[in-house]
Amino acid sequence: MQRIVFNQEHEDFRKVIRDFIESQVTPNFADWEREGMVPRDFYRQLGKLGVLGMTVPESYGGAGETSFKYQAVLSEETARAAVSFGAFGVHTGLVLPYLLTYGTEEQKQRWLPGFVSGDMMTAIAMTEPGTGSDLAGIKTTARLSEDGTHYILNGAKTFITGGVQADRVLVVCRTSPTTEENRRAGLSILAVDTTSEGYEVGRKLEKIGMRTSDTAELSFTDVRVPVEDLLGEEGAAFGYLANNLPQERLMIAVTTTAAATGAITFASDYVRDRKVFGKPVADFQNTKFVIAECIAKVEAAQAMVDRAIELHETGDLSVADAAKAKLFCTENAGEIIDKCLQLHGGYGYMLEYPIARLYADTRVSRIYGGTSEVMRTIIAKSAGF
């Protein structure tokens, strides 16, 4: 089914990214997986390529592109190739909107040039050992000093993507106690310098998938954070987080649908080459039916994603619509990739085949950015239940 969401400029950009993946990423990806992260200098390569600053205004060294579609193209190409750019997605897709929307002019001048070049990598720390989707339950605290010059940060975070290599982390913390009337009040965002005394990176967590994306535990013991590094208004963080969730969930829908598309390609190539009982696996009716079913389902997801992208471009993508896209596309991708792995037989379970990586990497998409259960709750609430 023909897609009309992208124009020629987007497709030209797609070719640049595809060539970059083929020459710079795919040949090295197995080594990066063994290391559990991409080399730090790789982010500077991305900076030279221009992809870290696509949506950053030109005055800060970026390209000044306001469209989300370029990010969507990049996510599609990495997913379809069954590779990743490490913590790139968090850096540009999650952290950057906060800096652009809530950062002061002084903060933007200070942070964005390094952000664009890859000299300053970022992460965002929300999840805590006892707090996941319920962000109102965050217990990490930041107390303003008596002289009002800095905050004193204490607490711990976990599952922080990019946490090992990050130079600055947006830490969601409690700057005032919750109230009975509003559990969501009192949360703020501090942009913490990771070289600060008392800031520690704990374990680099071992995951079943997304192994080139370094994920860590973080702890803060009396970390002094200058008041100049408060992002946005004190106590307003919950609203900021809610505003950025639709784009995060849309990106997950984009990526998982592209991964499912890639799985079909990998499976189609494999069954044409693999012979069983003297003939290609592709000649069996069951194979044809499975591939046909997967194609139909991925095109349904693609139509939903493309519609959501257009709504996001016009500012009309609602929280509920983003939840629908994430729920349907992640669950759909899990089913399609599983079927495509099955077509590989025993080889599909071997990590040397891209389908195995897609299978492991995609599983977390039904958890992060809000679990499938949370998405169902949002959708039901929007329908009046």
Side-chain angles (χ1 to χ4, degrees):
M1 192 174 294
Q2 183 181 4
R3 300 179 69 189
I4 57 174
V5 70
F6 298 120
N7 61 29
Q8 189 57 50
E9 289 184 359
H10 299 126
E11 296 306 327
D12 291 342
F13 177 70
R14 186 187 301 277
K15 185 179 185 306
V16 170
I17 297 302
R18 188 170 295 182
D19 291 345
F20 178 78
I21 290 172
E22 289 179 358
S23 63
Q24 303 297 321
V25 180
T26 300
N28 302 307
F29 200 73
D31 292 335
W32 297 352
E33 284 196 304
R34 283 189 288 271
E35 288 293 323
M37 64 182 77
V38 303
R40 187 63 175 77
D41 195 55
F42 176 70
Y43 294 121
R44 295 186 178 91
Q45 284 185 264
L46 294 179
K48 291 178 181 178
L49 189 64
V51 298
L52 297 182
M54 285 186 296
T55 58
V56 174
E58 294 180 11
S59 57
Y60 308 113
E65 178 55 59
T66 58
S67 175
F68 170 81
K69 293 181 179 180
Y70 289 94
Q71 286 183 284
V73 167
L74 194 149
S75 294
E76 287 184 352
E77 289 305 306
T78 54
R80 285 176 181 171
V83 299
S84 80
F85 287 175
F88 162 86
V90 167
H91 184 67
T92 59
L94 270 65
V95 174
L96 184 56
Y98 289 100
L99 299 183
L100 291 177
T101 305
Y102 307 112
T104 65
E105 179 61 26
E106 185 275 333
Q107 288 172 337
K108 292 175 184 177
Q109 292 284 356
R110 183 155 46 104
W111 295 331
L112 290 180
F115 185 104
V116 170
S117 68
D119 291 323
M120 185 193 80
M121 292 304 296
T122 61
I124 185 166
M126 292 184 276
T127 304
E128 297 181 357
T131 302
S133 297
D134 181 18
L135 295 177
I138 284 176
K139 292 182 172 57
T140 295
T141 62
R143 174 175 56 84
L144 188 63
S145 63
E146 291 184 2
D147 61 6
T149 62
H150 62 274
Y151 291 92
I152 302 173
L153 180 68
N154 284 280
K157 299 289 183 178
T158 192
F159 306 148
I160 308 307
T161 301
V164 175
Q165 295 182 313
D167 301 293
R168 193 167 288 270
V169 178
L170 304 189
V171 178
V172 183
C173 54
R174 186 162 291 287
T175 49
S176 62
T178 184
T179 65
E180 291 185 7
E181 295 79 18
N182 185 5
R183 292 180 63 243
R184 301 172 177 180
L187 294 177
S188 303
I189 300 176
L190 298 180
V192 181
D193 183 341
T194 62
T195 63
S196 302
E197 184 177 352
Y199 179 100
E200 291 188 13
V201 177
R203 292 185 302 153
K204 183 172 76 67
L205 302 172
E206 295 297 322
K207 311 183 295 295
I208 63 173
M210 300 188 72
R211 298 188 64 83
T212 62
S213 177
D214 56 295
T215 304
E217 296 174 330
L218 306 178
S219 66
F220 322 106
T221 304
D222 293 335
V223 177
R224 294 165 63 98
V225 183
V227 292
E228 291 82 9
D229 291 346
L230 171 69
L231 191 65
E233 296 182 12
E234 185 177 295
F238 194 94
Y240 300 162
L241 299 172
N243 288 340
N244 280 329
L245 280 173
Q247 176 171 309
E248 178 182 355
R249 290 166 179 165
L250 172 58
M251 182 63 79
I252 295 170
V254 168
T255 303
T256 52
T257 300
T261 301
I264 294 171
T265 300
F266 293 133
S268 298
D269 292 342
Y270 179 84
V271 297
R272 290 188 179 104
D273 292 336
R274 174 68 169 166
K275 290 187 177 181
V276 176
F277 305 121
K279 63 179 181 179
V281 175
D283 287 353
F284 291 91
Q285 186 181 62
N286 178 71
T287 302
K288 297 175 182 179
F289 281 5
V290 169
I291 293 291
E293 179 185 359
C294 290
I295 289 172
K297 287 185 175 181
V298 82
E299 291 207 4
Q302 193 68 74
M304 190 177 202
V305 164
D306 288 356
R307 177 59 179 151
I309 290 174
E310 293 290 13
L311 288 172
H312 183 63
E313 291 286 286
T314 59
D316 297 316
L317 182 67
S318 68
V319 171
D321 286 341
K324 294 170 192 174
K326 181 183 186 295
L327 175 64
F328 180 77
C329 293
T330 56
E331 296 284 342
N332 193 52
E335 179 184 346
I336 290 171
I337 293 170
D338 183 79
K339 289 179 181 295
C340 289
L341 187 150
Q342 188 73 17
L343 289 176
H344 283 72
Y347 289 103
Y349 203 65
M350 299 298 108
L351 288 175
E352 64 187 277
Y353 282 80
I355 191 67
R357 189 185 305 138
L358 284 178
Y359 183 84
D361 288 355
T362 304
R363 182 59 183 87
V364 74
S365 67
R366 286 175 269 169
I367 299 173
Y368 66 15
T371 64
S372 290
E373 292 73 22
V374 170
M375 296 304 100
R376 293 184 177 101
T377 300
I378 293 170
I379 296 165
K381 186 177 181 180
S382 73
F385 290 98

